[in-house]
Amino acid sequence: MAGTVHHVLARSAARFPSRPFLHIPAAACSGYHAGPIEISYATLATRVDELAALYRDAGYGAGQRVALMLANRPAFFEHWLALNAAGASVVPVNAEQRPAEIAWQLEHSESCLLVSLDDLLPVARQSLALMPAPPALSTEGTAAIPRAPHPGSTQEKPGRRSECALLYTSGSTDKPKGCILSNDYFTRFGEWYAGLGGLCALRPGEERLITPLPLSHMNAMASSAMGMLETGGCIVQLDRFHPSGWWDAVRSSGATVVHYLGVMPAILLGMDSSPRDDFSAQLRFGFGAGINPRHHAPFEARFGFPLIEAWAMTETGCGGCIIANHQPRHVGTSCFGKPTAAVEYLLVDEQGIEVTGETPGELLVRASGPDPRAGFFAGYLKNSEATDEAWAGGWLRTGDVVRAGPDGALHFVDRRKNVIRRSGENIAALEVEAALADAPQIAQLVVTAVDDEIRGEEVMACVVASAGMPRNADTARAIQQRALDALVYFKAPGYVVFVDEIPRTASQKPQRGEIRKLAPAWRESTACIDLREFKRRTKASAHG
């Protein structure tokens, strides 16, 4: 089965049999195991082959999908790789979703089996109860796998083009879309990571990569898992991000590489400093995206290792991935690197016309060479119209607004749909959020647009106030002033609305589409403070 993810495992198991593939620190598995867990490549390969045989005997194979609700546990890797060996595709399910959301994914994906952790069975059963024709239910153990309702194909041999997984996008504005991801998508990602070099050079058989990111998402499956599988490294898998125990987990696990999300550095910088903060002798680099530019240099100075910013989407895989793994990285900006010769890109305006110089534009990407979709997703399940729209004109439309620096390095500006158009000025919602990220009045924040009869749109800051903070005009004014101190006047919030919670997706991203729909009603509520009169151009901000 050359070209499959299971083939990559088999190859590394032959080369690094005694090396650890997976390490779970004691604190991350205390709820289900006494002490830390460590599994070697040889042990994993044996378990996977035994489980694959059980799946084949039960009738699972090519053309079928099996949903996995196995959290960040060893069972996820075992069942994923076993099903891959059998030729079936997996549908990772985030159990933090509501049962109705899970039921929708199971039905849309036509999963014929749901494999659940024992302690998630109540959620699984609630979800299945909402379906007119639910799939069979199995637990993480291997004793009894329900027979497949219709045997999978035994004629089709799994290969690079075979479907490996179906991953759902966050669905911030509508129902999630199922991204069809082939074995080629995953194996290319591992090869890409192994060949990066520069500041991200992976040493075969030596790296220990710590990640708290969920295995139900592309980063953990395609990037960290495949990077380690390809090079014989060890995945240090946490259940989730625990700020108070993060550095202890890094130390005790012997981690050499960190995978992060942008919110993590901000939280870690906010913790009390310690004489043990310097990790320069242990950690080689961090790999992630979305750090607040103001936090980047202070983090590296305090903790002693570089945070390498990258850009990708579930849809792009490694085919359109761009990473700042070479100097200059432009730390302190929103730079995510310079595209290599393997990636072609364009920046276009709202009319689809290419922009030049440092003018921001929507980023379009494709693979160089004869196949522009090499390494990308295979399409959206049951939604060819959305697939065609994403690839309109032969380029993948990312929806991300980016600018090119003088040296060709790309800098993230914002999601196009998060750009607020006020009096002819384009305002990036994420830029305003970054300016307010450290405000003591704010526990949670999202910035959105709200219609304005005169200016077209106005900036609205939707705020969950910090504990004990009054939700009044004085607090709102202090929040606005913080933005005015950091940004040109027109970018500051014209409205601050205090809300009890911010609508989020199952992956904890703000539901920006829903928030934008709620904004007009929030503006009319007593919880909204109108601060537009304080948005005045001063001599310092009058720049043409």
Side-chain angles (χ1 to χ4, degrees):
M1 292 185 296
T4 66
V5 172
H6 177 259
H7 177 73
V8 178
L9 166 64
R11 189 175 60 205
S12 286
R15 185 180 178 189
F16 305 102
S18 61
R19 291 286 302 168
F21 163 77
L22 180 67
H23 175 88
I24 301 182
C29 60
S30 60
Y32 63 95
H33 190 272
I37 296 172
E38 191 151 291
I39 301 173
S40 71
Y41 273 87
T43 298
L44 177 67
T46 298
R47 291 183 185 178
V48 165
D49 289 345
E50 292 172 350
L51 186 53
L54 292 175
Y55 272 116
R56 290 191 192 97
D57 290 345
Y60 294 90
Q64 294 175 322
R65 297 189 184 97
V66 174
L68 304 181
M69 198 157 69
L70 299 172
N72 285 7
R73 304 264 186 102
F76 182 94
F77 294 101
E78 294 167 3
H79 285 264
W80 171 29
L81 293 164
L83 285 159
N84 185 261
S89 174
V90 298
V91 183
V93 175
N94 183 346
E96 293 182 353
Q97 297 178 106
R98 298 305 236 177
E101 294 175 296
I102 295 173
W104 184 87
Q105 287 187 2
L106 296 177
E107 185 171 3
H108 183 263
S109 65
E110 300 180 11
S111 295
C112 59
L113 176 68
L114 170 61
V115 185
S116 170
L117 294 175
D118 290 336
D119 49 355
L120 292 177
L121 282 174
V123 176
R125 291 187 176 117
Q126 290 177 51
S127 304
L128 297 181
L130 299 174
M131 301 178 64
L137 176 62
S138 176
T139 61
E140 59 195 284
T142 61
I145 296 175
R147 295 285 313 170
H150 305 288
S153 172
T154 57
Q155 303 301 315
E156 181 182 342
K157 293 294 183 183
R160 272 192 175 263
R161 298 298 174 186
S162 304
E163 182 180 323
C164 175
L166 183 72
L167 266 62
Y168 281 88
T169 59
S170 60
S172 60
T173 59
D174 201 349
K175 288 287 190 186
K177 293 193 286 287
C179 292
I180 302 170
L181 310 180
S182 66
N183 277 294
D184 184 66
Y185 177 102
F186 285 95
T187 56
R188 278 180 185 267
F189 218 121
E191 294 162 1
W192 173 85
Y193 201 166
L196 270 181
L199 295 171
C200 295
L202 295 178
R203 302 166 301 180
E206 296 186 39
E207 306 301 348
R208 292 174 71 88
L209 186 159
I210 189 167
T211 174
L213 306 182
L215 285 166
S216 56
H217 292 107
M218 167 263 209
N219 185 293
M221 285 185 72
S223 180
S224 57
M226 294 309 302
M228 293 300 95
L229 275 171
E230 182 67 33
T231 60
C234 177
I235 302 168
V236 180
Q237 185 68 59
L238 304 185
D239 56 333
R240 60 186 179 86
F241 177 54
H242 300 274
S244 61
W246 170 255
W247 294 122
D248 287 339
V250 169
R251 293 187 188 94
S252 66
S253 67
T256 61
V257 176
V258 166
H259 275 205
Y260 67 91
L261 291 178
V263 67
M264 290 169 56
I267 293 173
L268 295 170
L269 273 173
M271 298 172 65
D272 293 339
S273 60
S274 163
R276 305 177 71 194
D277 280 349
D278 185 0
F279 286 85
S280 58
Q282 178 182 341
L283 292 173
R284 301 181 58 237
F285 64 90
F287 179 124
I291 187 173
N292 186 320
R294 293 189 292 122
H295 297 154
H296 204 160
F299 185 96
E300 293 189 0
R302 176 173 166 182
F303 296 109
F305 64 98
L307 295 182
I308 310 301
E309 286 281 288
W311 177 92
M313 300 166 60
T314 302
E315 288 86 344
T316 68
C318 70
C321 193
I322 302 167
I323 182 170
N325 61 314
H326 294 284
Q327 299 289 9
R329 293 182 293 128
H330 304 292
V331 172
T333 73
S334 57
C335 178
F336 56 87
K338 186 184 298 187
T340 66
V343 179
E344 295 183 7
Y345 80 96
L346 280 177
L347 300 183
V348 300
D349 62 18
E350 293 183 4
Q351 286 71 47
I353 300 172
E354 184 176 4
V355 300
T356 58
E358 296 190 49
T359 303
E362 182 184 0
L363 176 64
L364 312 185
V365 292
R366 66 186 180 192
S368 302
D371 182 4
R373 303 191 187 191
F376 287 70
F377 79 132
Y380 295 118
L381 180 67
K382 302 177 183 177
N383 200 338
S384 58
E385 182 178 340
T387 303
D388 292 343
E389 183 180 348
W391 279 105
W395 297 83
L396 186 81
R397 304 189 68 90
T398 71
D400 283 352
V401 177
V402 167
R403 68 174 180 85
D407 63 350
L410 300 183
H411 299 250
F412 184 75
V413 176
D414 206 344
R415 290 288 295 167
R416 170 151 279 174
K417 62 185 177 184
N418 298 336
V419 172
I420 302 161
R421 184 79 170 174
R422 181 188 185 274
S423 298
E425 297 284 354
N426 287 328
I427 302 166
L430 292 189
E431 183 181 15
V432 184
E433 290 173 7
L436 296 173
D438 299 327
Q441 300 87 358
I442 297 174
Q444 296 180 45
L445 165 75
V446 68
V447 170
T448 190
V450 66
D451 289 342
D452 186 282
E453 291 182 1
I454 298 175
R455 296 177 177 84
E457 292 180 341
E458 183 54 87
V459 183
M460 173 183 277
C462 311
V463 172
V464 176
S466 300
M469 190 64 61
R471 307 191 339 170
N472 59 22
D474 288 341
T475 301
R477 184 73 179 89
I479 291 170
Q480 185 196 52
Q481 188 58 52
R482 193 174 186 93
L484 288 168
D485 290 342
L487 303 170
V488 63
Y489 80 99
F490 58 79
K491 295 183 180 180
Y495 297 97
V496 171
V497 60
F498 295 101
V499 297
D500 294 327
E501 62 179 6
I502 290 172
R504 294 184 182 276
T505 67
S507 55
Q508 294 305 298
K509 296 179 182 178
Q511 288 185 308
R512 294 188 182 270
E514 179 65 19
I515 291 165
R516 191 153 184 162
K517 292 178 184 177
L518 292 170
W522 282 348
R523 181 182 54 190
E524 303 305 318
S525 73
T526 57
C528 184
I529 312 299
D530 186 346
L531 303 173
R532 288 176 295 173
E533 67 175 297
F534 301 106
K535 290 185 63 166
R536 297 172 180 167
R537 176 175 293 185
T538 64
K539 290 183 179 180
S541 63
H543 54 307

